Amino acid sequence: MQGFRLTRRRLLVTAGSGVLGLTVLNTVTGCSAEEKPAPAGASTGTGDWRRVDLSFVSAYLLVRGGEVAVVDLGTAGSAESIGAALTAAGAGWDAVKHIVVTHKHADHAGGLASVRPQASAATLYAGAADAPAIDPAVKPVQDGDEVFGLRIIGTPGHTAGHVSVFDPSTGVLVAGDALRTTGGLAGSDPQYTEDAAGAAASVRKLAGLDVRTILPGHGDPLTTGAADALRKLADSLPAG
């Protein structure tokens, strides 16, 4: 990367009628001498969480206590944008100790080849059913496991081994492709879903959590009324 720009604005994150926190939205845009439009690393602070905007898909960073967890890695070659977001957060690759990949699809796991040499101290996690398709070094996780204080939620449907990541301390849900916000809150995109009934069941499962913020793989974070929107979505789905 030849340079990056950092812009900042204030973001009020609310949960119901109460205020979850006043955070700062930092946008790190990868740029070169030719001002190419691409890969943008945008970090959205939600508690200790930051979004890395990789154009049509997002990765997320949790910076806490001098360590970093990364959830999803975007497409091939995303290490540059993730690295820029780490720099903007005041961290570096050496602080990355945990990487959770929500599922095996290339727009979420494809960045592994470029990230792994940078984050050599990190343990890589993924759902047990998807892990073999991602990398032999992946440590399989199951529903209810804990990584860095984060709860692994088994959310099969989009893929058999899809997992979401829930942060009980902030109510942040990193949903991978179990949820999307590209046109309002919705479940897994049917055209890329292995098991529609399973995906619907996973939405209903997520609706039972104390969610305050939804960080989807595709679309913008939902920081206001997330719990109500998720419950309404779950109620709208056919019973399994």
Side-chain angles (χ1 to χ4, degrees):
M1 184 181 69
Q2 297 182 10
F4 62 86
R5 294 192 301 272
L6 176 63
T7 61
R8 181 169 292 178
R9 68 180 175 83
R10 298 172 79 82
L11 171 68
L12 185 64
V13 180
T14 62
S17 59
V19 176
L20 175 62
L22 182 63
T23 64
V24 174
L25 175 66
N26 299 310
T27 301
V28 181
T29 303
C31 58
S32 70
E34 299 176 0
E35 292 294 345
K36 294 180 181 178
S43 74
T44 303
T46 306
D48 300 312
W49 285 95
R50 293 170 178 266
R51 177 193 186 193
V52 186
D53 187 349
L54 300 168
S55 183
F56 73 99
V57 69
S58 295
Y60 294 95
L61 311 179
L62 172 60
V63 183
R64 187 175 286 169
E67 288 189 22
V68 178
V70 181
V71 182
D72 281 337
L73 300 173
T75 56
S78 293
E80 182 176 348
S81 293
I82 294 172
L86 285 167
T87 299
W93 285 110
D94 58 341
V96 178
K97 306 299 185 186
H98 321 273
I99 297 173
V100 181
V101 179
T102 61
H103 63 292
K104 63 186 179 183
H105 289 166
D107 55 337
H108 292 256
L112 178 59
S114 62
V115 165
R116 168 172 277 172
Q118 306 291 335
S120 58
T123 301
L124 180 64
Y125 305 90
D130 277 18
I134 297 172
D135 190 274
V138 171
K139 182 176 180 179
V141 289
Q142 306 279 356
D143 182 66
D145 285 348
E146 185 174 297
V147 174
F148 194 42
L150 306 172
R151 189 187 311 164
I152 301 298
I153 310 295
T155 46
H158 187 74
T159 64
H162 191 287
V163 297
S164 300
V165 176
F166 182 60
D167 183 358
S169 68
T170 61
V172 169
L173 172 66
V174 188
D177 280 0
L179 298 170
R180 56 198 163 105
T181 61
T182 49
L185 185 63
S188 175
D189 189 333
Q191 65 179 320
Y192 304 115
T193 299
E194 294 180 1
D195 176 4
S202 290
V203 171
R204 288 191 289 270
K205 181 179 185 179
L206 293 174
L209 301 174
D210 184 17
V211 174
R212 302 179 189 177
T213 299
I214 296 172
L215 305 181
H218 301 277
D220 292 328
L222 181 58
T223 59
T224 303
D228 287 342
L230 184 52
R231 283 192 291 267
K232 289 177 181 176
L233 173 61
D235 290 343
S236 74
L237 298 174

